[in-house]
């Protein structure tokens, strides 16, 4: 009785078996899904960790900030200026012709209604990111009474809008809400 | 490596032809891992472990680079930074556990890979350099793992570093100076931690380079096989792709499943609880033990309890521990049997399994406190370890009676599937068995 | 040549080690601690899931909150949990305003922003639970030389984990006649050296009043604090097991397909005779 001799040549049988093709495609697809599932955590671990996200929002007590004073706080690693505007500064800001501004915005657009005396902006020059002067007592405020950036000479007015120098936009106003008349939550 | 029947790479696309002229990487991959690498057709699952080693290394490097983005190597914050990874970094706990468990799995597969080499004579000519490159990889792995464990800066990290750097002081005359040089001080401290962090990041890439040399060296003669008989012709081999890519993929699936089981359900099983206590230089833990993969060598180190003539016991232990690994470099010249595989060396096969048992007992002993009966066991079995390689193996390889080898790989494969089972001592006349009528 | 050198080296090490093996050993004094020491009792925990295997199972949030209450009312007198942030308590089921209130009840280190002197301020959710003592020396001075360890990782830092904490808390007993307990220490057979500096912390029923219906007994306190401390040590326990289950199921499918593919690729070569 002849038994089938196992073949010893190394030629693969002809690729005719469709079931085998399907199996290989299925295996490769499942493996690809696995690779994709692994890739996401590899990338997501670079996103902010929970302790960084916890500091994404801070509460600021404004009760100690006198009229004409500015307080500097750190938010998300960057400085925030909270200025208690004087009535003169508010009038000066409102008197400016919006159309003449590089980045047209009114003071009302940059403050909360009913709290126009509180100007809360990022303390980061919109040119290349230096921290402008003008928040501390005795610091230079520039030609327009707001802030002055010594790095390349940008001047900001009493509403934090850019008036002179290379900065393209007004100082950024972060998202904030008044929790009480004297405290805000930024971020 | 030049089996004449190996398929040659044929670029089909224009881009393929263009790259082939300028930087023939696809050609290299084809001839090293693809259809152009003839591989013995009779490899068993023990031959999966080389690829698994490579995968384990890649997993360690990837998870390690990720951990490196969040770890801080200063004694003030190292432990805290790892807790930051465990608690606050997105999926940080997963990468930390993968890296810690991954180290254990890496050593486990390396040990199986080494024992495979011992059993099938893969260290014998013409593969001596291949074997020695493998040992270099093993030594680099041990250095890397030791330094990585110190980075946690837990109690076991600190005191393990103290013990191991303290070993160098056993070297006469210059020992103390070497110890101070390694530590950057008089005890493990910030200087030590920082340099271990730098070297721990560097060495895996050195390992990667030596692995490339290791694979290159393998591809000159091609893979050994369970019979130990050389490849004689195309009937002895199959192309690596798809035969061994398919088998390796399956093996990889098994490996990853076991790996995931430990990472996600028993991640601290192989660890020491004391390493969850921040390092305290003023308080020593009750039992200082290294990670399990160092235990056999730790047992050998601690087995030398009395001075021998003018040599202090501590120095003896250090010398023995290093000698235990370094003697493996001389293996191709200690085991001189012309027969490679233990499948045809019945006496050596017994010796091999005794050695496996001895290593396991030494491993268990290394994790125990230095009490009886483990001290006695360590001493007796350490004696066997050295006798095995330096006395017994050379004698056995010189004088044992080996079984007759098959004429070729295909002959032994046919014997498995042919009508007559392969009987030891039966003659293997004729290259290809014909069905008997 | 190599073999001659190998023989010499081999004989050297063999004789050296066996010489040590035949030396008389000092008589081994039986360790009195070993005779009295007790391993933690293993009980079933909710977070270990089905058959207490640790494969399925989630924390019982009510139990975690009770454990937190035990920590706050008793343990926090001496022990910090400095690696836990107030915001982590959201995992226990507290709402954001509740967490803010809990945090504000603690004073965390800060600097007086006018004088620069060290000061304290009320906590915010982003802060960690503050240390009880500023450093080890202060802790030992206040505790008769003993150092109450930080409890954040204690469950992972002790053999027996959750079971150890549970057994230890309820394990205080009268010392047997053979064992002397030094002044200022207490006998507890579940503690490594049998003499623990911590006085029994949860020794009386109704010491803490639970409001969620659970029995206010010392056995319950021990269980709840053990589970709470398991959470402080492993806040990601549930995520770990969920991810693990998904990973293993996926890998089993992938390995199965891999096996079938491997068999198919090799089928033509491995045919057995009919």
């Amino acid at each position: 009785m002849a038994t089938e001799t196992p073949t010893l040549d190394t030629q693969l049988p002809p690729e005719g078996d469709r079931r085998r093709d399907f199996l290989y495609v299925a295996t490769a697809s499942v493996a690809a899904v696995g690779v994709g599932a692994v890739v996401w955590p590899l990338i997501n671990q670079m996103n902010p960790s929970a302790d960084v996200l916890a500091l994404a929002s801070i509460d600021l007590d404004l009760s100690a900030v006198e009229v004409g004073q500015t307080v500097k706080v750190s938010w998300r690693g960057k400085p925030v200026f909270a200025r208690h505007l004087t009535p003169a500064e508010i009038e000066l800001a409102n008197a400016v012709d919006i159309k003449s501004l590089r980045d047209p915005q009114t003071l009302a657009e940059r403050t909360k209604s009913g709290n126009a005396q509180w100007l809360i902006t990022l303390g980061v020059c919109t040119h290349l990111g230096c921290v402008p002067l003008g928040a501390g007592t005795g610091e230079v405020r520039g030609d327009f009474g707001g802030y002055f950036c010594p790095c390349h000479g940008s001047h900001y007015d009493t509403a934090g809008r850019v008036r002179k120098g290379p900065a393209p936009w007004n100082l950024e106003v972060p998202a904030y809400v008044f929790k009480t008349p004297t405290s805000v939550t930024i971020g | 490596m030049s089996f004449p029947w190996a398929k040659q790479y044929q670029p089909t696309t224009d881009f393929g032809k263009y790259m082939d002229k300028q930087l023939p990487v696809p050609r290299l991959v084809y001839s090293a891992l693809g259809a152009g690498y003839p591989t013995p057709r009779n490899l068993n699952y023990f031959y999966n472990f080389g690829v698994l080693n490579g995968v384990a290394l890649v997993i360690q490097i990837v998870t390690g680079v990720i951990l490196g983005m969040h770890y801080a190597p200063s004694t003030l914050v190292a432990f805290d930074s790892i807790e930051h990874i465990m608690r606050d970094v997105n999926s940080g706990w997963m990468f930390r556990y993968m890296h810690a468990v991954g180290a254990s799995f890496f050593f486990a597969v390396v040990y199986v890979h080494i024992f495979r080499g011992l059993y099938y004579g893969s260290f014998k000519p013409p593969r001596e350099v291949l074997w020695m490159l493998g040992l270099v990889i093993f030594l680099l792995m041990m250095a890397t793992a030791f330094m990585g464990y110190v980075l946690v800066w837990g109690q076991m990290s600190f005191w393990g570093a103290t013990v191991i750097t303290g070993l160098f002081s056993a070297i006469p005359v210059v020992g103390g100076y070497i110890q101070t040089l390694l530590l950057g001080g008089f005890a493990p401290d910030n200087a030590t931690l920082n340099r271990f962090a730098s070297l721990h990041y560097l060495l895996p890439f050195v390992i990667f380079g030596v692995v490339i040399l290791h694979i290159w060296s393998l591809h000159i003669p091609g893979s050994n096989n369970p019979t130990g008989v050389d490849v004689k012709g195309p009937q002895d081999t199959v192309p690596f792709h798809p035969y061994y890519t398919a088998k390796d993929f399956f093996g990889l699936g098994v490996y990853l499943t076991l790996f995931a089981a430990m990472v996600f359900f028993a991640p601290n099983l192989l660890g020491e609880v004391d390493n969850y206590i921040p390092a305290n230089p003023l308080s020593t833990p009750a039992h200082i033990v290294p990670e399990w993969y160092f235990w056999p060598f730790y047992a050998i180190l601690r087995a030398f309890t009395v001075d021998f003539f003018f040599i202090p016991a501590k120095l003896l232990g250090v010398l023995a521990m290093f000698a235990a690994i370094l003697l493996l470099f001389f293996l191709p010249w200690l085991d001189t049997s012309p027969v490679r595989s233990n499948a045809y060396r019945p006496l050596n096969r017994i010796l091999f399994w005794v050695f496996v048992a001895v290593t396991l007992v030494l491993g268990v002993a290394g994790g125990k406190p230095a009490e009886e009966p483990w001290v006695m066991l360590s001493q007796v079995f350490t004696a066997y370890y050295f006798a095995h390689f330096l006395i017994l193996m050379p004698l056995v390889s010189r004088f044992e009676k080996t079984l007759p080898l098959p004429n070729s790989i295909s002959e032994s494969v046919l014997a498995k599937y042919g009508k007559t089972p392969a009987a030891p001592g039966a003659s293997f006349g004729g290259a290809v068995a014909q069905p008997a009528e | 040549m190599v073999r001659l050198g190998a023989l010499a080296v081999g004989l050297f090490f063999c004789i050296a080690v066996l010489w040590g093996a035949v030396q008389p050993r000092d008589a081994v004094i039986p360790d009195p601690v070993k005779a009295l020491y007790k391993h933690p009792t293993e009980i079933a925990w909710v977070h270990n899931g089905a058959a207490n295997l640790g494969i399925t199972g989630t924390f019982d949030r009510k139990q975690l909150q009770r454990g937190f209450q035990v920590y706050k009312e008793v343990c926090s007198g001496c022990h910090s949990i400095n690696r836990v942030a107030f915001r982590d308590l959201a995992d226990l089921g507290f709402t954001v305003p509740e967490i803010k209130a809990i945090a504000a009840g603690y004073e965390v280190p800060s600097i007086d922003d006018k004088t620069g002197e060290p000061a304290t301020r009320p906590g915010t959710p982003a802060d960690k639970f503050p240390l009880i003592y500023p450093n080890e020396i202060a802790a030992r001075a206040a505790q008769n030389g003993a150092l109450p360890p930080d409890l954040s990782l204690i469950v992972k830092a002790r053999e027996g984990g959750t079971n150890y904490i549970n057994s230890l808390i309820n394990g205080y007993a009268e010392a047997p006649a053979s064992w002397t307990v030094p002044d200022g220490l207490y006998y507890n057979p579940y503690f490594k050296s049998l003499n623990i500096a911590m006085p029994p912390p949860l020794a009386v029923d109704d010491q803490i009043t639970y409001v969620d219906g659970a029995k206010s007994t010392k056995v319950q306190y021990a269980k709840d604090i053990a589970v709470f401390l398991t959470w402080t040590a492993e806040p990601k326990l549930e995520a770990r097991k969920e991810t693990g289950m998904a990973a293993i199921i996926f890998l089993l499918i992938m390995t199965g397909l891999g096996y079938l593919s491997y068999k198919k690729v090799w089928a033509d070569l491995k045919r057995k005779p009919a």
Side-chain angles (χ1 to χ4, degrees):
Chain A
M1 183 65 186
T3 52
E4 210 173 28
T5 312
T7 54
L8 285 181
D9 61 62
T10 57
Q11 282 172 340
L12 291 167
E15 304 259 307
D17 191 333
R18 268 167 102 249
R19 257 182 71 226
R20 180 163 78 179
D21 281 353
F22 173 73
L23 177 59
Y24 297 157
V25 167
T27 309
S29 316
V30 167
V33 163
V35 169
V38 161
V39 160
W40 170 243
L42 251 74
I43 297 179
N44 189 38
Q45 54 87 18
M46 291 202 288
N47 271 331
S49 52
D51 55 330
V52 169
L53 291 174
L55 292 170
S57 160
I58 61 165
D59 293 327
L60 183 57
D61 177 19
L62 298 171
S63 54
V65 186
E66 313 260 336
V67 180
Q69 242 194 339
T70 313
V71 72
K72 229 198 256 197
V73 287
S74 175
W75 173 69
R76 295 190 180 176
K78 290 181 271 205
V80 165
F81 297 156
R83 176 169 285 183
H84 196 162
L85 297 172
T86 65
E89 286 170 338
I90 297 173
E91 232 186 88
L92 200 56
N94 287 329
V96 174
D97 178 14
I98 302 304
K99 287 190 276 298
S100 72
L101 292 173
R102 182 175 301 164
D103 181 7
Q105 277 187 313
T106 62
L107 179 63
E109 286 169 331
R110 292 170 58 73
T111 54
K112 298 286 177 206
S113 63
N115 281 300
Q117 75 275 26
W118 289 109
L119 179 69
I120 300 181
T121 61
L122 244 55
V124 178
C125 183
T126 58
H127 177 226
L128 290 174
C130 291
V131 179
L133 300 170
T137 34
E139 279 181 12
V140 181
R141 291 192 171 195
D143 299 346
F144 297 86
Y147 301 101
F148 169 67
C149 186
C151 291
H152 307 97
S154 296
H155 297 253
Y156 297 87
D157 66 12
T158 51
R161 299 173 295 202
V162 59
R163 301 293 291 272
K164 199 160 96 164
W169 301 300
N170 304 334
L171 292 178
E172 186 185 328
V173 176
Y176 65 90
V177 282
F178 272 88
K179 288 286 154 154
T180 72
T182 52
S183 82
V184 286
T185 300
I186 307 179
Chain B
M1 186 249 349
S2 47
F3 289 134
W5 61 91
K7 285 199 266 208
Q8 293 299 316
Y9 174 65
Q10 306 282 3
T12 47
T13 62
D14 283 337
F15 180 72
K17 293 187 185 120
Y18 173 78
M19 284 309 292
D20 201 43
K21 289 201 188 75
Q22 301 220 8
L23 186 68
V25 170
R27 179 176 291 273
L28 181 70
V29 173
Y30 185 87
S31 65
L33 301 168
Y37 179 52
T39 318
R41 65 193 307 139
N42 60 337
L43 300 185
N44 56 34
Y45 281 107
F46 286 109
Y47 285 80
N48 277 38
F49 283 79
V51 162
L52 290 180
N53 284 348
V55 167
L57 176 64
V58 168
I59 290 175
Q60 288 308 96
I61 290 179
V62 169
T63 55
V65 166
I66 288 171
L67 290 174
M69 293 185 183
H70 304 277
Y71 171 76
S74 154
T75 52
L76 298 169
V77 289
F79 192 90
D80 295 339
S81 72
I82 294 185
E83 280 304 307
H84 162 69
I85 289 169
M86 295 294 287
R87 291 164 191 274
D88 289 330
V89 172
N90 300 324
S91 306
W93 57 270
M94 185 175 78
F95 293 115
R96 194 278 174 100
Y97 281 146
M98 282 175 76
H99 198 73
V101 173
S104 283
F105 267 64
F106 194 3
F107 276 95
V109 288
V110 159
Y111 281 136
V112 175
H113 185 72
I114 293 175
F115 278 94
R116 184 280 310 267
L118 290 175
Y119 190 88
Y120 291 116
S122 310
F123 55 87
K124 286 171 173 294
R127 296 183 182 86
E128 306 97 300
V129 170
L130 172 67
W131 170 256
M132 293 195 283
L133 286 170
L135 288 174
V136 167
I137 293 171
F138 181 52
L139 285 167
L140 288 171
M141 275 175 65
M142 290 198 284
T144 309
F146 163 67
M147 292 192 292
Y149 194 68
V150 174
L151 296 184
V152 178
W153 212 243
Q155 273 288 66
M156 215 46 96
S157 309
F158 178 88
W159 290 99
T162 305
V163 167
I164 298 302
T165 52
L167 294 180
F168 288 88
S169 68
I171 301 171
V173 182
V174 291
Y177 293 113
I178 296 179
Q179 182 186 13
T180 314
L181 179 72
L182 288 174
L183 287 173
F186 308 102
D189 201 349
N190 215 33
T192 324
L193 183 60
N194 267 276
R195 66 189 53 178
F196 279 9
S198 170
L199 293 174
H200 184 72
Y201 208 116
L202 168 71
L203 284 185
F205 296 99
V206 175
I207 291 174
F208 192 81
V210 182
V211 165
I212 304 274
L213 296 179
H214 187 69
I215 298 176
W216 183 8
S217 168
L218 169 70
H219 282 52
I220 312 287
S223 300
N224 191 15
N225 69 86
T227 64
V229 171
D230 281 331
V231 165
K232 302 264 172 38
Q235 69 279 12
D236 289 341
T237 64
V238 291
F240 192 87
H241 176 71
Y243 290 91
Y244 287 109
T245 43
K247 192 168 186 182
D248 282 339
F249 180 76
F250 166 56
L252 179 65
V254 174
Y255 176 80
L256 290 176
T257 309
L258 293 170
F259 182 55
M262 185 162 259
V263 165
F264 292 104
F265 295 104
N268 293 301
L269 183 66
L270 295 172
E272 292 292 325
V273 290
D274 276 344
N275 228 28
Y276 276 106
I277 304 170
N280 183 354
L282 301 176
S283 158
T284 313
H287 303 297
I288 303 176
V289 272
E291 291 279 87
W292 69 268
Y293 35 83
F294 290 132
W295 285 355
F297 304 106
Y298 201 57
I300 294 176
L301 174 74
R302 294 190 302 181
F304 292 81
T305 49
V306 299
D307 298 349
F308 191 63
F309 293 115
F310 55 87
I311 309 176
K314 185 174 170 188
L315 179 59
L316 275 175
V318 172
L319 290 173
M321 190 178 73
F322 284 115
I325 305 170
L326 293 175
L327 60 77
L328 292 170
F329 280 88
F330 295 93
L331 199 54
W333 296 276
L334 294 171
D335 181 340
T336 53
S337 172
V339 175
R340 283 199 188 105
S341 165
N342 275 357
Y344 301 96
R345 301 178 61 188
L347 187 56
N348 201 52
R349 187 156 67 233
I350 297 171
L351 217 60
F352 171 86
W353 288 113
V354 171
F355 176 68
V356 169
V358 162
T359 314
L360 287 172
V361 173
L362 281 174
V364 174
K368 298 280 180 200
E371 292 161 358
E372 299 301 340
W374 299 106
V375 177
M376 178 65 86
L377 277 171
S378 304
Q379 290 171 319
V380 171
F381 283 7
T382 298
Y384 180 82
Y385 184 102
F386 284 99
H388 175 90
F389 285 107
L390 299 172
I391 305 170
L392 297 175
M393 206 180 211
L395 287 173
V396 166
S397 68
R398 187 96 190 276
F399 296 113
E400 75 176 330
K401 188 167 182 313
T402 58
L403 300 175
L405 292 172
N407 282 342
S408 70
I409 294 172
S410 51
E411 209 181 85
S412 82
V413 168
L414 260 184
K416 246 174 78 175
Y417 292 115
K419 287 189 75 175
T420 47
S427 68
F428 288 81
V432 175
Q434 292 301 316
E437 295 297 331
Chain C
M1 248 319 289
V2 172
R3 278 185 293 193
L4 213 55
L7 188 66
V9 171
L11 283 172
F12 170 73
F13 281 117
C14 286
I15 295 173
V17 78
L18 290 173
W19 174 243
V22 300
Q23 296 305 310
R25 271 113 164 92
D26 296 330
V28 173
I29 314 158
D31 186 0
V33 172
K34 261 208 190 110
L36 293 170
Y37 173 74
K38 282 202 207 167
H39 288 279
T41 323
E42 295 192 8
I43 66 175
W45 298 101
V46 171
H47 61 264
N48 274 344
N52 210 33
L53 284 171
I55 297 177
T56 53
T58 54
F59 285 116
D60 174 353
R61 295 253 138 18
K62 282 215 163 71
Q63 183 169 38
L64 286 179
Q65 292 194 13
R66 292 198 303 271
F68 178 52
Q69 184 184 358
V70 172
Y71 168 76
K72 259 205 314 188
E73 294 189 17
V74 177
C75 318
S76 62
C78 304
H79 291 282
S80 51
I81 41 172
N82 188 239
R83 302 193 188 280
V84 182
F86 294 110
R87 58 182 159 82
D88 295 331
L89 292 173
D91 219 7
L92 266 56
F94 291 111
T95 62
V96 171
E98 284 172 333
I99 293 176
K100 279 200 175 146
I102 293 170
Y106 287 82
E107 289 288 317
V108 300
S110 108
I111 300 182
D112 184 317
D113 50 12
K114 296 203 175 33
T115 64
E117 294 288 308
T120 61
R121 59 166 175 79
T124 65
D127 294 317
K128 301 253 166 70
F129 279 84
L131 293 171
I132 312 296
Y133 304 103
N135 51 56
E136 182 177 336
I137 300 176
R140 288 191 188 275
Q143 296 287 343
N144 275 332
L147 178 64
D150 182 284
L151 295 180
S152 319
L153 283 171
I154 202 83
V155 161
K156 282 207 282 193
R158 298 288 185 270
E159 291 290 349
T162 321
N163 289 314
Y164 169 77
I165 301 293
N166 183 45
S167 295
L168 184 77
I169 298 291
N170 275 141
Y172 289 84
E174 275 295 318
S178 57
W179 183 261
T180 32
V181 181
D183 266 343
L185 301 179
Y186 304 82
Y187 180 74
N188 190 321
Y190 295 97
F191 188 66
K192 224 168 19 175
S193 67
L194 306 179
N195 300 324
I196 191 172
M198 172 170 75
L202 296 163
V204 182
D205 290 345
D206 294 314
Q207 191 178 344
I208 305 163
T209 316
Y210 284 145
V211 295
D212 65 347
K215 290 219 180 78
S216 300
T217 60
K218 55 184 184 196
V219 168
Q220 192 62 43
Y221 300 150
K223 288 210 181 100
D224 295 343
I225 191 67
V227 172
F228 174 71
L229 292 178
T230 309
W231 173 80
T232 62
E234 278 241 69
K236 305 290 177 189
L237 183 141
E238 293 164 321
R240 168 164 68 81
K241 294 201 282 198
E242 270 169 36
T243 316
M245 191 60 79
I248 302 257
I249 290 173
F250 170 81
L251 284 168
L252 285 172
I253 295 172
M254 189 187 88
T255 309
L257 285 172
Y259 179 71
L260 293 171
S261 303
Y262 152 67
K263 278 288 179 205
K264 266 271 146 63
V265 167
W266 282 79
D268 56 331
L269 291 182
K270 281 197 171 188
R271 245 176 303 144
K272 291 213 162 92

